[in-house]
Amino acid sequence: MTHTAAIIGGGVIGGGWAARFLLNGWDVHVFDPDPEAERKLGQVLANARRSLPGLTDVALPAEGRLQFCTTLQGAVEHADWIQESVPERLEIKHKTMAAIQQVCRPEAVIGSSTSGFKPSELQAGAARPEQIMVCHPFNPVYLLPLVEVVTTPQNGSERIDVVKTLLQGVGMYPLHLKKEIDAHVADRFLEAVWREALWLVKDGIATTEEIDDAIRYGFGIRWAQMGLFETYRVAGGEAGMKHFMAQFGPALKWPWTKLMDVPDFDDDLVDLIAGQSDDQSGAYTITELEQIRDNNLVAMMRALKTQDWGVGALLTKHEDHLRESGTEAQPVDHTAPVVTGNRVVPLDWTDYNGHMNEARYLQAFADATDQFMAIIGCDAAYIAAGGSYFTAETHIRHLDEVNAGQIIRIETTALGGGGKKLHLWHEMYVAEKMIATGEHFLLHVDLKTRKPSPASPAVDSALKEWVEAHGERPRPEGAGRAIVSSPPR
Ligand SMILES: NC(=O)c1ccc[n+]([C@@H]2O[C@H](COP(=O)([O-])OP(=O)(O)OC[C@H]3O[C@@H](n4cnc5c(N)ncnc54)[C@H](O)[C@@H]3O)[C@@H](O)[C@H]2O)c1
């Protein structure tokens, strides 16, 4: 069933929400009175389309339909989820919530993107306060999974469960806060860092670039994978957290911080910071910086996926969800090549030439082989029980280039196999154009002895069924071919 999201306010954050829902298969209705809104949202969507679909190794569902509405009513009346992302002023939020509640379905979720207001403040005076809660995301909403879900007792646990499930369904991580507080958790933290940084610049201790370097070359990447407390636990050495606290606790009393004071936010400070920021980053346009940021975020999140840690572990979980919701092609017809890959080329698969690196062709074909192995029953459970296929030989032909963001589809033919052997032929396509072929020869191995051994009878017979059916097909052009050497001179 397709869900519909109404996006009220389509700026930086509303645009990000629209992209997140749309690319995860929801229909999206946007209402924003700004005549420039459609153009601005188009830019956010373009960034999302080049970065999000390749983030996972499983294809996302087909994009939903996007519609710009001329009235708020048109946007919200059939929506399952209404996300308010209007400017951060309480009277605008109240007016918008009241207008939404006049025309929306009573069971629809109304989430507010507010960075600072508490849910009880948003619910005050509302027709149905139980419908309203804070769902605070992080920019870029289409890539960063965190949503702080802040509720009041009015919301009820059933509604909160629905909200969490829907957010997880679009690949997000709902962090439900048990108590409301101004600015929730993450922004309180960021505010503290921001205040400290303003003082450091104002007092001439460090420039904007030096402060950013202090973050990105050190504790920033540490935080990205373990956060604050787990990092400090490790810093305590073998004695752990208690030792860490005993060692550094007294330092809190030293007059290091100016956290409680705010520097005068006058023109001088604004000019100083804006000038340093121009020196630091003025060589790039904002669009370029957005794309650099997205490339880096995708690369970091995918790196953490290989470690099955933090945001990377979340990606793996989302892939399981995508597989379960049946977005991957299922093999049915034994007489045709089987689709073993259908994915978007991710941003971290391209090289300095701007196209997919040759090593990634191998990765895509290896993933396709894994998929074929799973289809014949050599799946995770079979491997855990002690049997698997190991690749003995590979031959890849690179016929054409492919860029990040393009969809590649792999079709596989079983050229031969049985007993210890498995011989596969993969063809990689972009739409109907073949861009590479990959031939794999594998041997079944006993994982205890690490020596070749026959596959189980069940796997063997499933494989033979494919080999027999595919044997009826013409032999693929290029199969069995080695490198064509230059003719003798
Ligand atoms: N920018 C961030 O990093 C960030 C992060 C998390 C949450 N937020 C929160 O998200 C909300 C939106 O912030 P933003 O950064 O996207 O601001 P923005 O200025 O980029 O976008 C606000 C949009 O709302 C539209 N708008 C104004 N009045 C409206 C109305 N009555 N009905 C419909 N649309 C209306 C504006 O035309 C504009 O396009 C704020 O509550 C903010 O605190 C911002």
Side-chain angles (χ1 to χ4, degrees), residues 8-14 31-34 85-88 92-93 96 113-115 136-137 139:
I8 307 305
V12 174
I13 293 303
F31 173 69
D32 189 318
D34 179 1
S85 306
V86 300
E88 187 76 350
I92 304 184
K93 302 265 186 209
T96 306
S113 300
T114 178
S115 305
H136 176 236
N139 190 33

Side-chain angles (χ1 to χ4, degrees), residues 15 22 45 86 89 136 160 207 248 262 286 300 304 334 378:
L22 197 68
L45 203 50
V86 300
R89 297 229 316 267
H136 176 236
I160 297 167
T207 62
F248 296 106
V262 186
I286 296 297
M300 285 161 66
L304 285 172
H334 275 62
C378 181

Side-chain angles (χ1 to χ4, degrees), residues 79-407:
D80 306 288
W81 186 296
I82 299 148
Q83 186 67 27
E84 170 278 301
S85 306
V86 300
E88 187 76 350
R89 297 229 316 267
L90 194 54
E91 74 279 10
I92 304 184
K93 302 265 186 209
H94 275 156
K95 235 172 104 187
T96 306
M97 290 294 179
I100 291 171
Q101 290 208 310
Q102 269 179 18
V103 285
C104 75
R105 296 162 53 215
E107 63 274 23
V109 175
I110 305 180
S112 170
S113 300
T114 178
S115 305
F117 297 118
K118 297 193 286 263
S120 60
E121 290 175 289
L122 300 173
Q123 291 173 349
R128 292 181 301 277
E130 66 277 8
Q131 237 186 325
I132 299 171
M133 64 182 78
V134 169
C135 291
H136 176 236
F138 292 80
N139 190 33
V141 183
Y142 50 84
L143 282 182
L144 293 187
L146 182 63
V147 185
E148 290 177 306
V149 176
V150 198
T151 56
T152 71
Q154 301 252 38
N155 295 115
S157 60
E158 239 171 76
R159 197 182 292 267
I160 297 167
D161 286 346
V162 168
V163 164
K164 284 187 190 169
T165 305
L166 289 175
L167 287 171
Q168 283 160 349
V170 295
M172 299 186 95
Y173 184 81
L175 181 68
H176 183 208
L177 302 190
K178 291 173 206 73
K179 279 188 181 172
E180 62 171 11
I181 184 172
D182 293 315
H184 330 310
V185 169
D187 277 359
R188 295 186 75 85
F189 204 48
L190 293 178
E191 179 81 5
V193 176
W194 174 234
R195 282 187 191 211
E196 201 65 65
L198 291 180
W199 277 117
L200 290 170
V201 177
K202 185 181 168 73
D203 292 347
I205 311 290
T207 62
T208 58
E209 186 164 8
E210 287 164 344
I211 290 172
D212 285 350
D213 288 346
I215 297 171
R216 59 189 161 194
Y217 291 118
F219 70 86
I221 42 177
R222 224 167 49 180
W223 278 359
Q225 47 86 47
M226 277 194 174
L228 181 67
F229 287 102
E230 205 159 49
T231 296
Y232 282 167
R233 183 185 178 84
V234 180
E238 280 180 5
M241 198 66 189
K242 274 196 171 159
H243 173 68
F244 179 83
M245 293 183 70
Q247 194 176 2
F248 296 106
L252 289 174
K253 293 236 164 74
W254 299 347
W256 273 4
T257 182
K258 290 191 174 182
L259 217 50
M260 304 318 289
D261 300 328
V262 186
D264 280 341
F265 217 81
D266 52 20
D267 287 350
D268 284 350
L269 183 60
V270 172
D271 288 347
L272 180 65
I273 289 182
Q276 289 187 2
S277 175
D278 285 348
D279 291 345
Q280 178 186 350
S281 316
Y284 301 104
T285 64
I286 296 297
T287 305
E288 284 168 339
L289 285 172
E290 281 170 350
Q291 295 196 348
I292 291 167
R293 174 201 64 192
D294 289 358
N295 292 0
N296 293 341
L297 287 174
V298 167
M300 285 161 66
M301 287 196 267
R302 286 176 56 75
L304 285 172
K305 184 162 170 270
T306 64
Q307 303 304 313
D308 200 25
W309 191 263
V311 74
L314 184 74
L315 279 186
T316 303
K317 218 166 140 197
H318 187 48
E319 287 182 355
D320 291 343
H321 167 80
L322 289 170
R323 278 192 199 96
E324 277 161 26
S325 10
T327 50
E328 293 223 307
Q330 297 300 320
V332 276
D333 181 6
H334 275 62
T335 63
V338 51
V339 177
T340 49
N342 186 18
R343 60 159 308 139
V344 170
V345 176
L347 288 172
D348 64 337
W349 278 21
T350 53
D351 63 12
Y352 45 84
N353 291 318
H355 57 205
M356 186 164 85
N357 174 294
E358 64 269 37
R360 302 303 186 175
Y361 285 79
L362 174 58
Q363 184 168 346
F365 285 136
D367 289 347
T369 292
D370 281 349
Q371 180 70 15
F372 186 84
M373 281 162 51
I375 288 168
I376 59 172
C378 181
D379 53 14
Y382 182 91
I383 293 167
S388 187
Y389 285 96
F390 284 8
T391 307
E393 203 173 325
T394 297
H395 180 218
I396 293 175
R397 294 187 306 166
H398 302 266
L399 306 176
D400 209 336
E401 61 182 337
V402 56
N403 300 317
Q406 287 188 289
I407 298 172

